[in-house]
Amino acid sequence: MRFLVAIKMAIHDRSTTAGAVLGVVAIIFLVGQQLSVFFGLLNLMSVLPDHSVADAWVMSKNIRNSDSGNLIPSSYIDRIIGIKEVEWAEPILIGSGLFRRGDGSFEPVRLVGLKRPRITGGPWSFIQNDERALLDLESVVVDKLDLRKLGHPYLDEITEIGEKRVRLGAIASGARGFQGTLVFAPLEKVREISRTPPGRYSAILIKFIENSDKERIVSQLREILPNCSVFSSEELSKLTRNYYITNTGIGGSFLFSTSIAIMIGVVIITLTMYTSVLSRKKDLALIRAIGGRKRDIFVIVISQVLFIALLGIFIGFLLLSTLLNYTLGSQIPSYLPKEVFPALTIGALFVSLFGSLLALKVALKTDPASVFH
Amino acid sequence: MSNLRLKNIAKDFYDGRNLRRVLYQTNLTFYPGELVVLSGPSGSGKTTLLSIMGLVLKPTEGAVYLNERDITNISDNQAADLRFKNYGFIFQQHMLIDGLTVLDNVLIAFAVQGKKIRNDQKNRAYQILEKLGLKEAINMQPLSLSGGMKQRVSIARALVKDPLILLCDEPTASLDAENGITVMRILKRTAIEERKIVIVVSHDSRVFPFADRLIKIENGQIVSDTREHYT
Ligand SMILES: Nc1ncnc2c1ncn2[C@@H]1O[C@H](COP(=O)(O)OP(=O)(O)OP(=O)(O)O)[C@@H](O)[C@H]1O
Ligand SMILES: [Mg+2]
């Protein structure tokens, strides 16, 4: 009953209630949007280790992310496949070059060379043709969202990267990188374009046989390859994400804008809830005078806060999902893991309660004697 | 017989810097079945006295007894509980809650206790509202009622709990003559027929004819306390 009374009062006070709801909506929408960009960028950062089917990566000593390392010799592959739990070990070669656009201008690209015929470490989802395109030495694969930057090449169009002839063999989706435009090509082609010496690779991707003890094999690999960095794919993904978060200012800027969004929300909620309690002071005094206890006032105010918070959370998520639907498949990276929804809900509830502390304090102090004045 | 008794009640207030006595040694006992009018000039301490009787204000000195039980130093929760069970309040302003219907307003004391409202409580509310000529207004919002209707709703809100004590502070002050008389008739009937302690603070002379007992207060002191029968 207290809850109903509280809600009827809140509904009657449309403007203050709407103001407080707006505060909650702002928190959900702004923080949710920030988070989606943040997680979207995280996905780009570690796109290669996340989507390689490999269990472990071997790169040069002391790397700080998956995108930069020295070359390592191909002889390591022989040592690696000596371990009986290793199903396969495949090299990749990362290089760079200038992609010639249709209009004759150039776009710098990051080349990921994949070894035929297994071509591991490459795109995993295609919208035109598939990975078999990379069996052809001439062929390259780019992401559909990068087509614009590359001057809208059409499928099978012939162009050049680093003055070497290539053909757009397939178009992938979700294979965008954080560090420049990714172009996947056969390993020999990348070697030719970036003129790396033969027998040298950027990384070796390793797949273990099923149900093997990954940790143990990784430490075994570390023992036999003392001059290399050996990481499980998850470790490399984490390392790379941490590297970019701390070294690019993305982490700081995300924290900053999120805190601002939360602060704005808290201020709006605090002010509107305070105003709402002040405007209801006479009613609260009446409720106290006719026998309402402090705890009844507490329940009434908290009910109003919960009502406002839940309404705001609902509207906020509605707006957020509209925005996400709209940005999905656009240039703006956006991704919200499922866990974000309950976390944001709990966060918004918490922040709403925090914003109502002042109002609650005032409400609980209501003097029942004031009904007579 | 049930009663409300004030023994040696005094009250001091801080006005800015100084402690000022606004109510001096007051001894009063109230019994059911009569309508008491408490009258006096503005600032004489009427509301202060009423607030102490109504357990919303603690006296500086003295004791309050309800049915011979000392309730001067009870806790905040106990006071709320006694107010809920034994007191009905009527104010100069109707003090209805906007956003709640007439029925919701009448049942508000039950609603905020955090329990489901029982059917007998609801039925009593309907009966009282009907008796006060508010049957048509049951589902209306306070905003759409006239001043007289609002005051009658606030009387229904006080009566629905069937309290022993009815405390009214200037209940007719914001009403025209006709509505004022209606309200006083209801209060008088409640005192006599339902044997309640009804105390009306007023300096409105139209109220005096309804008094069974007239108490006059000046500068915080009772100057006269007479039982007379006006008609
Ligand atoms: N909470 C308070 N703090 C300080 N002084 C107060 C307080 N309440 C009342 N007073 C003072 O006590 C005195 C008596 O006030 P009270 O309200 O009891 O008078 P009253 O007889 O009801 O007057 P009125 O007819 O104007 O309503 C006044 O001088 C008032 O200023
Ligand atoms: Mg007064």
Side-chain angles (χ1 to χ4, degrees):
Chain A
M1 284 316 293
R2 287 178 294 207
F3 189 72
L4 264 174
V5 167
I7 286 175
K8 283 179 186 171
M9 284 163 79
I11 290 173
H12 182 82
D13 302 341
R14 274 182 224 102
S15 49
T16 44
T17 301
V21 169
L22 187 75
V24 183
V25 171
I27 290 174
I28 293 282
F29 184 75
L30 295 176
V31 175
Q33 183 269 338
Q34 287 293 322
L35 279 174
S36 86
V37 172
F38 182 69
F39 282 110
L41 287 173
L42 283 184
N43 280 350
L44 298 190
M45 290 169 191
S46 56
V47 67
L48 292 181
D50 286 347
H51 293 281
S52 69
V53 288
D55 292 309
W57 285 55
V58 173
M59 294 180 72
S60 66
K61 192 83 186 157
N62 297 329
I63 57 150
R64 291 159 71 202
N65 61 61
S66 64
D67 294 320
S68 42
N70 282 325
L71 297 176
I72 51 176
S74 59
S75 56
Y76 288 168
I77 294 183
D78 302 327
R79 278 201 234 167
I80 293 164
I81 52 178
I83 297 177
K84 72 173 189 312
E85 287 100 336
V86 169
E87 190 178 326
W88 50 251
E90 293 281 323
I92 63 170
L93 180 64
I94 300 198
S96 59
L98 290 175
F99 187 102
R100 204 188 65 190
R101 294 157 44 109
D103 62 3
S105 61
F106 294 94
E107 174 73 20
V109 295
R110 222 175 138 66
L111 293 157
V112 183
L114 313 169
K115 184 147 183 286
R116 296 175 294 167
R118 206 190 299 271
I119 47 176
T120 49
W124 52 95
S125 140
F126 292 83
I127 57 166
Q128 270 187 301
N129 279 354
D130 57 31
E131 66 271 23
R132 282 172 300 184
L134 290 168
L135 293 174
D136 173 12
L137 180 64
E138 302 273 83
S139 212
V140 297
V141 177
V142 301
D143 189 88
K144 69 164 194 280
L145 291 178
D146 287 332
L147 288 174
R148 197 167 59 111
K149 267 192 278 182
L150 300 174
H152 296 291
Y154 52 84
L155 198 66
D156 286 330
E157 184 172 334
I158 308 282
T159 182
E160 285 174 5
I161 300 177
E163 294 173 344
K164 302 285 185 262
R165 178 190 149 98
V166 295
R167 185 174 57 82
L168 184 59
I171 295 169
S173 77
R176 285 208 300 160
F178 182 68
Q179 275 250 37
T181 313
L182 291 182
V183 173
F184 297 90
L187 200 143
E188 297 85 339
K189 186 53 114 189
V190 174
R191 169 156 296 144
E192 196 185 325
I193 296 169
S194 50
R195 300 190 181 92
T196 31
R200 303 248 149 190
Y201 301 122
S202 300
I204 299 166
L205 280 58
I206 306 164
K207 178 84 186 160
F208 305 148
I209 57 175
E210 248 178 277
N211 302 326
S212 45
D213 181 351
K214 288 186 190 173
E215 260 175 61
R216 194 182 55 73
I217 308 171
V218 167
S219 49
Q220 194 178 346
L221 281 167
R222 284 188 182 128
E223 261 168 50
I224 62 169
L225 299 168
N227 294 321
C228 294
S229 308
V230 180
F231 290 107
S232 70
S233 298
E234 296 78 31
E235 284 168 350
L236 185 63
S237 170
K238 231 189 209 158
L239 182 81
T240 306
R241 288 177 173 206
N242 284 341
Y243 173 82
Y244 285 124
I245 290 171
T246 48
N247 289 293
T248 57
I250 283 182
S253 108
F254 166 74
L255 273 182
F256 180 73
S257 48
T258 305
S259 334
I260 294 284
I262 292 176
M263 259 161 56
I264 291 173
V266 170
V267 168
I268 296 178
I269 294 168
T270 303
L271 289 180
T272 51
M273 282 307 297
Y274 180 65
T275 317
S276 139
V277 163
L278 279 191
S279 73
R280 286 290 190 175
K281 238 183 128 95
K282 267 203 125 32
D283 293 338
L284 296 176
L286 173 89
I287 288 172
R288 288 285 280 126
I290 62 175
R293 298 149 298 185
K294 281 205 168 128
R295 87 177 88 121
D296 301 320
I297 300 291
F298 178 86
V299 172
I300 287 173
V301 175
I302 293 295
S303 301
Q304 287 183 343
V305 176
L306 289 182
F307 171 69
I308 284 165
L310 292 177
L311 198 62
I313 288 167
F314 178 74
I315 298 173
F317 276 134
L318 217 63
L319 288 179
L320 187 61
S321 59
T322 313
L323 176 87
L324 289 184
N325 266 335
Y326 185 75
T327 52
L328 205 76
S330 79
Q331 296 288 331
I332 306 164
S334 77
Y335 169 67
L336 269 189
K338 274 194 222 69
E339 299 79 27
V340 166
F341 291 87
L344 252 181
T345 303
I346 291 168
L349 279 175
F350 183 79
V351 167
S352 305
L353 289 173
F354 179 75
S356 313
L357 284 181
L358 179 66
L360 193 61
K361 199 176 148 199
V362 173
L364 288 178
K365 271 205 187 142
T366 308
D367 178 8
S370 65
V371 275
F372 286 109
H373 296 291
Chain B
M1 187 156 71
S2 39
N3 65 56
L4 177 67
R5 187 154 68 91
L6 305 181
K7 187 178 158 198
N8 294 330
I9 289 291
K11 181 67 187 176
D12 299 334
F13 275 127
Y14 271 108
D15 63 345
R17 228 174 284 159
N18 300 318
L19 205 57
R20 194 163 61 86
R21 180 141 292 197
V22 299
L23 200 60
Y24 295 88
Q25 300 293 318
T26 303
N27 288 287
L28 286 168
T29 308
F30 302 96
Y31 302 100
E34 57 179 10
L35 190 146
V36 180
V37 171
L38 183 62
S39 181
S42 183
S44 55
K46 305 184 295 290
T47 299
T48 304
L49 191 56
L50 203 67
S51 305
I52 291 170
M53 291 190 261
L55 308 183
V56 291
L57 192 67
K58 293 235 175 205
T60 311
E61 289 168 16
V64 182
Y65 296 87
L66 179 62
N67 301 330
E68 297 310 324
R69 179 183 151 218
D70 186 347
I71 53 170
T72 322
N73 292 313
I74 53 177
S75 73
D76 191 73
N77 271 344
Q78 286 171 318
D81 201 44
L82 282 181
R83 290 197 300 267
F84 172 62
K85 291 190 175 122
N86 296 291
Y87 286 84
F89 292 98
I90 296 160
F91 314 95
Q92 175 173 351
Q93 300 300 326
H94 50 81
M95 302 280 287
L96 299 179
I97 297 178
D98 285 333
L100 303 184
T101 63
V102 164
L103 185 65
D104 288 339
N105 265 289
V106 170
L107 292 168
I108 183 73
F110 301 122
V112 298
Q113 291 292 315
K115 288 181 204 130
K116 204 171 175 291
I117 292 173
R118 297 195 311 264
N119 273 336
D120 61 295
Q121 293 168 333
K122 241 184 234 172
N123 289 337
R124 188 172 157 79
Y126 282 121
Q127 276 169 20
I128 292 173
L129 283 168
E130 199 172 343
K131 228 169 153 182
L132 299 183
L134 291 163
K135 200 179 167 196
E136 316 297 324
I138 279 177
N139 290 312
M140 282 159 72
Q141 292 282 329
L143 283 171
S144 53
L145 303 180
S146 70
M149 285 167 99
K150 285 185 208 171
Q151 194 60 305
R152 276 181 281 148
V153 174
S154 82
I155 294 176
R157 178 181 62 199
L159 295 182
V160 77
K161 297 187 290 176
D162 195 19
L164 170 66
I165 302 160
L166 216 53
L167 301 180
C168 320
D169 197 1
E170 308 276 5
T172 60
S174 57
L175 300 177
D176 58 30
E178 197 186 328
N179 278 307
I181 286 173
T182 310
V183 164
M184 287 313 297
R185 282 204 182 116
I186 298 166
L187 294 177
K188 177 90 179 179
R189 199 170 62 207
T190 308
I192 310 277
E193 290 173 12
E194 302 189 26
R195 299 207 58 78
K196 306 291 185 204
I197 297 174
V198 179
I199 302 167
V200 178
V201 161
S202 184
H203 50 234
D204 180 356
S205 58
R206 293 174 298 174
V207 163
F208 299 159
F210 292 91
D212 298 306
R213 177 180 175 193
L214 181 61
I215 300 172
K216 293 211 164 163
I217 178 169
E218 274 170 34
N219 293 323
Q221 278 171 315
I222 308 289
V223 291
S224 77
D225 184 350
T226 50
R227 264 198 186 77
E228 284 181 68
H229 287 282
Y230 304 84
T231 32

